Amino acid sequence: MMTATIEAFFHNPTSTLSYVVYDRAGGHCAVIDSALDFDLSSGVVSTGFADQIIDFIRSNQLSLDWILETHAHADHLTAASYIKSKLGGKIAAGHHIDDVQATFESILGMEDDKADGDHSRTRFDHLFQDKEEFSIGMLTAAVIETPGHTSDSVTYLVNQNAFIGDTLFMPDFGSARCDFPGGDAKQLFESIQRIYALPDSTRLWVCHDYQPGGRELKYQTTVAESKQDNIHIKGETLESEFVQFRSERDKQLNVPKLLYPSVQVNIRAGQLPDAFIKIPISKTF
Ligand SMILES: [Fe+2]
């Protein structure tokens, strides 16, 4: 089996991990979950972080086959379209991104896109089905649908490496929230069972690390470690326990600072709106 080589990049402002997965011999790669720099106060969008990824791909003379999203992120803006404009490659996500697009287009009044015949759905080059296989050069990859945090969440399995998005975090940080539109704690439990059904030695690569207690950055664990140590869900945790815990906890969480900017850009595969980002208001009086 061809070995997958993995390079991780940490986006400090949003605690996001982006990965370049590549087949060193063949010189092909995929980017998983990239990020733009975005200053909420000024609205300035910049590409310092994405440029580090681009520089890495160029300096290793890799050709970019895929720009993959594990889900429509709610806390950072994807650099997928920017990276594609520099290096080519196909932007892809799970096909349930359709549901996320429909939900947020209506919350955010993005119907203009549709009126122009320029619907956001067309901005992805490919939408994956569950269990679909694809290749990154000589590497074989597979998609596992893992909804719960969002309805479109998928895991990308490349050999013994699972890129799990926000399904699980490092064992000392637990699991992702399920209270966004389309999120569902019961579905997340079932999705985690799909991950826990992979061989114990499977390496899990997380999409965020919040460095609890100020510990050093970590972003890779295994199925065995997570089953044994994950503070929210161990191998033997019951569905009812998890769903109750997750639902209680989600009630206490604040809305992510970049929720609306992120979703607006991410359901368009990282294409920025012409001039403005919208924030829907809700009156409490
Ligand atoms: Fe997320």
Side-chain angles (χ1 to χ4, degrees):
M1 187 191 292
M2 186 67 63
T3 310
T5 309
I6 295 158
E7 184 77 15
F9 299 82
F10 184 58
H11 186 239
N12 205 48
T14 61
S15 302
T16 300
L17 273 309
S18 300
Y19 299 101
V20 174
V21 185
Y22 60 110
D23 135 31
R24 195 188 289 274
H28 289 261
C29 71
V31 170
I32 302 179
D33 290 331
S34 59
L36 289 168
D37 296 293
F38 178 61
D39 183 75
L40 184 60
S41 319
S42 65
V44 172
V45 184
S46 52
T47 60
F49 179 71
D51 288 333
Q52 287 175 36
I53 297 174
I54 290 169
D55 288 349
F56 176 85
I57 292 171
R58 284 191 174 138
S59 63
N60 285 278
Q61 298 176 304
L62 302 171
S63 99
L64 180 58
D65 292 356
W66 293 100
I67 305 164
L68 305 172
E69 299 292 314
T70 55
H71 62 291
H73 307 278
D75 51 9
H76 66 273
L77 283 59
T78 176
S81 284
Y82 172 71
I83 293 174
K84 180 180 171 179
S85 75
K86 298 293 175 188
L87 297 176
K90 285 189 278 193
I91 303 177
H95 73 105
H96 285 294
I97 191 132
D98 275 0
D99 306 336
V100 184
Q101 287 168 332
T103 302
F104 279 96
E105 279 164 357
S106 107
I107 292 173
L108 291 160
M110 291 168 77
E111 282 82 2
D112 293 357
D113 278 1
K114 291 179 197 165
D116 293 346
D118 187 20
H119 192 261
S120 52
R121 274 152 230 214
T122 62
R123 293 183 168 99
F124 288 85
D125 299 303
H126 186 76
L127 297 181
F128 289 116
Q129 301 293 320
D130 191 26
K131 301 188 176 76
E132 186 172 336
E133 294 195 351
F134 62 103
S135 55
I136 304 166
M138 303 287 281
L139 301 169
T140 300
V143 176
I144 306 171
E145 284 186 352
T146 44
H149 168 58
T150 63
S151 54
D152 68 321
S153 293
V154 294
T155 288
Y156 296 107
L157 186 63
V158 187
N159 297 350
Q160 300 296 304
N161 300 285
F163 297 89
I164 57 176
D166 290 0
T167 307
L168 291 163
F169 297 120
M170 292 301 291
D172 60 358
F173 203 78
S175 63
R177 64 195 296 174
C178 296
D179 59 331
F180 297 145
D184 185 313
K186 188 170 177 305
Q187 273 191 342
L188 182 61
F189 179 86
E190 287 163 6
S191 294
I192 291 170
Q193 302 314 305
R194 299 183 83 182
I195 293 170
Y196 281 178
L198 295 168
D200 272 355
S201 58
T202 307
R203 297 201 288 175
L204 306 180
W205 301 81
V206 301
C207 183
H208 293 286
D209 185 51
Y210 298 101
Q211 300 176 272
R215 71 142 164 71
E216 78 280 18
L217 179 68
K218 289 185 183 173
Y219 45 82
Q220 192 251 297
T221 181
T222 62
V223 167
E225 281 172 3
S226 194
K227 276 182 185 168
Q228 188 185 308
D229 296 330
N230 190 289
I231 57 169
H232 294 174
I233 179 162
K234 301 195 185 347
E236 67 275 12
T237 302
L238 299 175
E239 180 184 284
S240 55
E241 290 169 353
F242 178 75
V243 170
Q244 187 180 354
F245 160 80
R246 194 62 264 173
S247 311
E248 291 296 319
R249 185 174 179 93
D250 287 348
K251 285 183 200 145
Q252 299 160 18
L253 300 176
N254 295 322
V255 173
K257 221 169 41 176
L258 295 184
L259 171 67
Y260 292 112
S262 300
V263 169
Q264 228 154 129
V265 169
N266 295 342
I267 62 173
R268 299 157 54 116
Q271 290 187 12
L272 299 173
D274 287 339
F276 301 106
I277 292 278
K278 295 178 184 174
I279 297 182
I281 56 166
S282 45
K283 291 183 185 169
T284 58
F285 57 87

